Amino acid sequence: MYVIVGGGIAGLAAAYRLQSRGHEARLLEASAEVGGLAALYDTAGDPIEKFYHHLSKSEETIVELADELGVGDDVEWRIGENAYYRDGVVHPLDKPWEILAYPGLGLYDTFRLACLTQGIDVRGGRPRFDTYDELSDFEDVAVREFILEHTTRGVYEGFFEPLLRAKFGDRVEDVSAAWLLGRIKFRGERDLLRGEVLGYLDGSFDVLLDALVDAVGEDAITTGARVVDLDHDAEGVHAVTVEHTGEVGDDGDPGRIETIDDGIDGVIVAAMPNVLEKLTGYACDIDFQGAVCATLTMDEPLTDTYWLNVADDAPFGALIEHTNFVPPERYGGDHLLYVASYVQSPDEQNWRADDAALEDRWLSGIEDLFPEFDREAVSAFRVARNPRAAPVYERGYLETVVPYDLADAGLPGVYYAGMASRAQYPERSLNGGVVAGFAAADAADDDPDAATDDDSGSAGGDESSEYGVPSDARGSGVR
Ligand SMILES: Cc1cc2nc3c(=O)[nH]c(=O)nc-3n(C[C@H](O)[C@H](O)[C@H](O)COP(=O)(O)OP(=O)(O)OC[C@H]3O[C@@H](n4cnc5c(N)ncnc54)[C@H](O)[C@@H]3O)c2cc1C
């Protein structure tokens, strides 16, 4: 039997893949619900993710999985319009003429930006089409120096800098050019006349998570079950210690300790690397940034765009109006707006503020940008925080990713599918979680040392952190 630590999409995907290969899998999730970072709120209609989520056209594994699980017809491809708020004005930035009209860039800047996003190197006056093919060539190059060298100062200051600051704060200097180029390639399709094509599921990503839970089988999943210890040595993993929280899915005995020590073939850790470190001692050097994201329920729309980056001073990084992507009719006619900010340190005000203080700070920030905004139109302000929302993609990042199979690191029988895995680069995503879950399960399945059970089985908070809470087309490439 394989034990899976974590019931986010990666853990569920790993359990599903192991079972489909004839193995028994038991998934343990610390919190009361599976889903991890894709957890949901209720609305007056369909549920909605606590943190904004969509798919890019280049992400295929998750779409194939949805097909395989019978929910492929629920995957919808919609236009997600982008805009930039600058000098008090919302500038749409999807169609070529909108980009030309954007006042943050001169004509030559726009040309150089377009060349970069199309992968054409025009330095020296002679176009080259292969400069950006090998991302590893840019692993150790700082993103700022790269943009200045490969485009213009106007492109950096007028376009990328505010986006990078919103995404990485004062860590911008550390971020690699390979990350940016990877993001540019990662972003999928654009409809030249309409904007970026993005994916969502009719009914939210919960439809896919539910289908995965059905496929894996509820008997194979225990929620309210935190893995607190692994007994492992050079022979493999012998026992897994689980603390039951009593929240759900167990016998209502908070603090009950269970030891699983019968026939363990391996353990897949599908959680953040700090959980892996606590359980096995494997240290991962990747730094993570936190996220604070409020979901506002409103009587009326704020803008007519999906994704609004803010270049002007504001206490948040982006305004993401979900109901300009998925229609408000799906949510009982309400308009849903995410207000989002990454945080680099627990000392930042957006992290320290309690919900009431944050609401006041962010609604005032919206009023400053949109004087006609009426805070009375906001009927709910719900806040989600996570201290490990995304890696900081520093220079040399790929050398620090955690391998799927940790045998060579002295941990036979331990596999990793969490956010520090290769599949979650150059951007962490649900698709990356599925790919990582599959890859870790495949590594376990191929492992000649692991015994296989031919009896096929039934078909989000991590450890507390320095943040003091349990964590659980081509475009610019920066979101
Ligand atoms: C602000 C934000 C925006 C995002 N936007 C997008 C987007 O637009 N598109 C997209 O595809 N992706 C997006 N993502 C990323 C996506 O949500 C993640 O990549 C994905 O959900 C990660 O899944 P996971 O299973 O690896 O990890 P998680 O979802 O973090 O799951 C790990 C699980 O492990 C559990 N756990 C931790 N410790 C233990 C333990 N000791 N024992 C048992 N269980 C434990 C946790 O409770 C959690 O449920 C976004 C994420 C954030 C934060």
Side-chain angles (χ1 to χ4, degrees):
M1 176 188 65
Y2 285 92
V3 173
I4 294 144
V5 182
I9 195 154
L12 288 166
Y16 173 70
R17 176 58 71 96
L18 282 169
Q19 289 177 340
S20 60
R21 298 275 169 91
H23 297 282
E24 189 185 340
R26 177 157 180 215
L27 184 148
L28 302 161
E29 164 54 45
S31 66
E33 305 275 349
V34 295
L37 288 171
L40 301 141
Y41 293 127
D42 288 334
T43 77
D46 291 342
I48 184 170
E49 292 71 26
K50 294 181 178 178
F51 297 103
Y52 46 90
H53 274 79
H54 56 244
L55 302 178
S56 293
K57 263 283 186 181
S58 57
E59 299 185 299
E60 292 171 355
T61 311
I62 193 168
V63 177
E64 286 161 15
L65 175 64
D67 281 339
E68 199 174 307
L69 295 172
V71 295
D73 288 347
D74 293 314
V75 178
E76 305 174 326
W77 295 101
R78 301 175 162 277
I79 297 296
E81 289 186 323
N82 293 284
Y84 220 141
Y85 187 102
R86 188 183 186 89
D87 301 330
V89 179
V90 174
H91 300 279
L93 265 190
D94 288 306
K95 293 137 205 161
W97 55 93
E98 291 171 348
I99 297 168
L100 280 171
Y102 175 60
L105 296 171
L107 200 56
Y108 183 64
D109 298 324
T110 308
F111 167 71
R112 294 298 297 268
L113 174 63
C115 290
L116 179 67
T117 58
Q118 294 306 314
I120 308 166
D121 178 8
V122 292
R123 290 172 306 155
R126 190 173 50 88
R128 284 187 53 190
F129 298 89
D130 58 357
T131 307
Y132 309 119
D133 285 356
E134 286 301 323
L135 295 193
S136 51
D137 294 349
F138 299 93
E139 260 300 306
D140 293 318
V141 180
V143 71
R144 179 176 182 277
E145 275 69 57
F146 170 82
I147 296 170
L148 289 174
E149 191 187 327
H150 289 254
T151 65
T152 61
R153 181 163 293 278
V155 169
Y156 184 71
E157 289 173 357
F159 190 77
F160 281 114
E161 191 178 20
L163 301 180
L164 290 167
R165 291 249 166 251
K167 178 118 182 141
F168 294 109
D170 56 12
R171 300 298 304 271
V172 172
E173 305 295 330
D174 301 326
V175 174
S176 82
W179 168 79
L180 179 71
L181 287 168
R183 285 289 287 144
I184 288 171
K185 288 181 194 226
F186 169 89
R187 295 288 289 284
E189 204 172 286
R190 292 189 84 78
D191 179 322
L192 267 186
L193 296 179
R194 296 194 303 151
E196 192 173 9
V197 182
L198 299 172
Y200 197 68
L201 263 83
D202 183 356
S204 84
F205 284 98
D206 202 32
V207 170
L208 178 63
L209 290 169
D210 272 353
L212 263 174
V213 168
D214 283 349
V216 169
E218 289 191 13
D219 290 352
I221 300 173
T222 312
T223 53
R226 179 181 296 280
V227 175
V228 291
D229 194 28
L230 296 186
D231 175 13
H232 61 93
D233 60 20
E235 304 297 312
V237 182
H238 305 292
V240 176
T241 308
V242 189
E243 186 183 291
H244 290 262
T245 64
E247 285 180 82
V248 279
D250 63 13
D251 62 5
D253 182 9
R256 180 170 65 91
I257 300 293
E258 176 190 1
T259 304
I260 305 170
D261 56 6
D262 196 15
I264 296 177
D265 295 315
V267 170
I268 295 183
V269 179
M272 293 296 166
N274 64 314
V275 177
L276 178 71
E277 181 168 1
K278 180 168 186 289
L279 296 178
T280 67
Y282 183 95
C284 164
D285 284 338
I286 295 172
D287 286 345
F288 281 80
Q289 53 181 349
V292 183
C293 183
T295 306
L296 278 60
T297 307
M298 308 183 302
D299 299 343
E300 52 195 49
L302 177 70
T303 69
D304 56 9
T305 198
Y306 170 51
W307 195 285
L308 183 65
N309 287 306
V310 183
D312 291 2
D313 276 348
F316 38 73
L319 297 171
I320 302 147
E321 199 156 347
H322 181 80
T323 38
N324 291 334
F325 175 46
V326 177
E329 293 69 44
R330 294 263 177 96
Y331 307 97
D334 284 335
H335 296 262
L336 301 172
L337 171 76
Y338 290 110
V339 184
S341 172
Y342 285 106
V343 290
Q344 310 303 323
S345 141
D347 299 329
E348 285 183 34
Q349 213 175 336
N350 282 338
W351 188 267
R352 287 198 341 257
D354 63 20
D355 289 6
L358 192 73
E359 178 170 355
D360 190 45
R361 177 174 158 80
W362 281 6
L363 294 187
S364 302
I366 298 176
E367 282 165 350
D368 288 344
L369 302 183
F370 297 94
E372 68 285 10
F373 168 68
D374 175 12
R375 57 169 83 195
E376 294 301 313
V378 178
S379 59
F381 185 98
R382 294 179 279 190
V383 184
R385 298 177 178 81
N386 193 290
R388 290 187 184 81
V392 178
Y393 293 106
E394 291 182 70
R395 278 172 276 169
Y397 182 85
L398 284 178
E399 280 164 30
T400 59
V401 296
V402 179
Y404 298 118
D405 185 342
L406 288 156
D408 286 346
L411 294 167
V414 180
Y415 305 89
Y416 183 71
M419 206 185 267
S421 58
R422 178 66 178 83
Q424 295 288 27
Y425 180 85
E427 187 58 28
R428 47 82 171 112
S429 67
L430 293 167
N431 184 70
V434 174
V435 174
F438 284 178
D442 290 347
D445 184 49
D446 289 343
D447 191 340
D449 295 333
T452 51
D453 344 285
D454 281 327
D455 54 326
S456 64
S458 55
D462 66 13
E463 298 303 319
S464 67
S465 71
E466 65 279 13
Y467 284 75
V469 296
S471 84
D472 296 288
R474 291 174 181 266
S476 70
V478 185
R479 263 204 172 137

